[in-house]
Amino acid sequence: MATIALTQPDQGRYSNARAWFAVVILSLAGIVSYIDRQIINLMVEPIKLDLGVSDLQISLLQGFSFALFYAILAIPLAWIADRHNRKWVILFGLICWSGATFASGLATVFAVLFAARMLIGVGEATLSPAGFSMISDYFTKEKLPGPISVFTGSGFIGSGLALLLGGYAYSTFEQMGPTQLPFGTFQPWQMTFMAVAMLSIPVFFLLLLVKEPVRREGNTVIATDDAPPAFEVISFLKEHAKVFFPLFFGFSCFAGAQYGIGAWAPTYFIRVHEWTQLEVGQYFGPVVMVAGLVGVVAGGFAAEKLLARGMQDATLKVPMVAILAALPFAIAFPLVESPFAALGLLALVIFLGTIPFGAGVSTFPLITPNRMRAQVLAFYLLVANLLGYSAGPIFIAWLTDKVFADPSAINLSLAIAPPLTMVVGLFLIFIALKPHRQMAQAISHGD
C-alpha cells in the first residue's frame, strides 16, 4: 500500500463561505449535467416518430447508452481525480457532455443518437466522483451530509428544468417548424438538444473560480499524488464486502426506481392524460425540482443531525424509512384517473424517494479513506448507472412493450416496476445495517 505523506494538522482550512461557494458552483454544473441527460425524456414521442424506434430502444437512449460509456471510463477517470486536480477533471467532463448534447441534435438515425448519448456519460464519470471528493475536503465529516445532499439535489433541479425549459423550448421550435441552419435543416426536438447544450458555457467560467481544496484525512493533510491503484481499491471493497456490496446495489435499486419514474412519467402524462410537452414541462417540471430538491436536502440534513446525536447508521435508516413511506404512493399514482391527483401522489413519491440520494450516498465518503474516495464513489456510480439508471427505464419499457404489448399500458408498468425495485433495495440495505455499524464503530475508534 502506498504511504501517506503527512503535514501539520489544520493546514489549508477554508472558510464556510468559500466551502459553500464551491458547493453552489459544483451544483450548477450538476444542474446543467442533468438537463443535458434528462431532456430526452420530454421528447420520446417526436423522436420515436422521426427515427421509427420502440419504447425499448428509447429506454436504451435514456439510460443504458451513457451507462455503457461510464462502465468503460469511470474507474480510470476517478483514479485521475484521486491523483490530480479535480476541478480540471470536471471542466474536461463539462466540455465533453455539453458537446455530446449538441451532437444529439445532429442525429438522424438511432445509432448516431445512441453514440451521442453514450458520450454524455462522461458527465457522470467526471462530475460526481470528483465533486463528492472535493466537497469531502471542504467540510468535516460531521458536517458532510448537508453539503453532499445539496450537491446531489442539483440533479433534481436539473431534471425539473429539463422538463420546464425543455417544454418551452420544444413548444417554441414546434411553432417555428423545421429550422434551417447553415449546416442543415432540423426538427424541433433536434433544436431543443442544441439549445440546452449552450447552458454549459457560463458554468464553465464559474467553475474556473472554484479553488481545488487540500486533500485531508480527518484533520491531517495528505499527499496529492497518493491515489491507490484500482486493485488496492478493489481489495478495500472486498475486505468490507458485507457493507459496500449491499449498499451499492441497494441504493442503486432506489436510484433505478426514481430514474425509471423520471424517464417515463412525462410519457405517461402524454399518453394516458393527453398532456402536451409544454403542459408536462409546466406542471411536472416544478414538481420534480421542488419535491426532488427538498427530499434530497432534507434527507441529508436529517442524517447530519442524527449523526451528531450519535446514531452511526443514520445515513441508512433515514433512507429506509423514507422508501417504506413512498411505496404506497408509488403504486397508486399511475392508477388514479385525475392527472392532477396523479401529480400530487407523484410529488410525494419523488420527495420521499429522493431522500436516499442525500442521506444514503453520504455513507460512502464517511467510511472510505480520502485517498480512494473518488474511486469508491466511481464503483458505486458504476453499479448505479448500469443497474439503476439503465435497468430502471428498461424494466418499465420491457413491461410496456413485451408484457402488456400496449403503449397506453405504461401506467401499469409504472405501478409495478418502481415499487418492486424499491422493495429489493430495502432488503439489501437491511442486510448491510449490522456490518456497517461495526465498520463505523471501528473507524470512530481508530481501528
Side-chain angles (χ1 to χ4, degrees), residues 277-321:
Q277 279 83 1
L278 181 59
E279 288 173 318
V280 171
Q282 288 175 327
Y283 300 135
F284 184 43
V287 167
V288 174
M289 278 192 292
V290 175
L293 179 62
V294 173
V296 73
V297 172
F301 280 101
E304 182 179 309
K305 295 293 184 182
L306 292 172
L307 281 172
R309 296 176 184 177
M311 183 185 289
Q312 292 181 319
D313 54 3
T315 56
L316 304 187
K317 287 185 175 177
V318 169
M320 291 180 71
V321 171

Side-chain angles (χ1 to χ4, degrees), residues 355-366:
I355 284 175
F357 301 133
V361 176
S362 62
T363 303
F364 300 123
L366 288 173

Side-chain angles (χ1 to χ4, degrees), residues 329-349:
F329 304 117
I331 297 170
F333 93 82
L335 305 178
V336 298
E337 293 186 4
S338 165
F340 292 102
L343 192 64
L345 292 170
L346 184 51
L348 292 172
V349 176

Side-chain angles (χ1 to χ4, degrees), residues 122-145:
V122 75
E124 189 73 21
T126 55
L127 177 59
S128 293
F132 280 127
S133 180
M134 288 179 71
I135 293 170
S136 298
D137 285 325
Y138 270 114
F139 295 88
T140 62
K141 283 189 174 184
E142 294 75 18
K143 296 181 179 180
L144 187 59

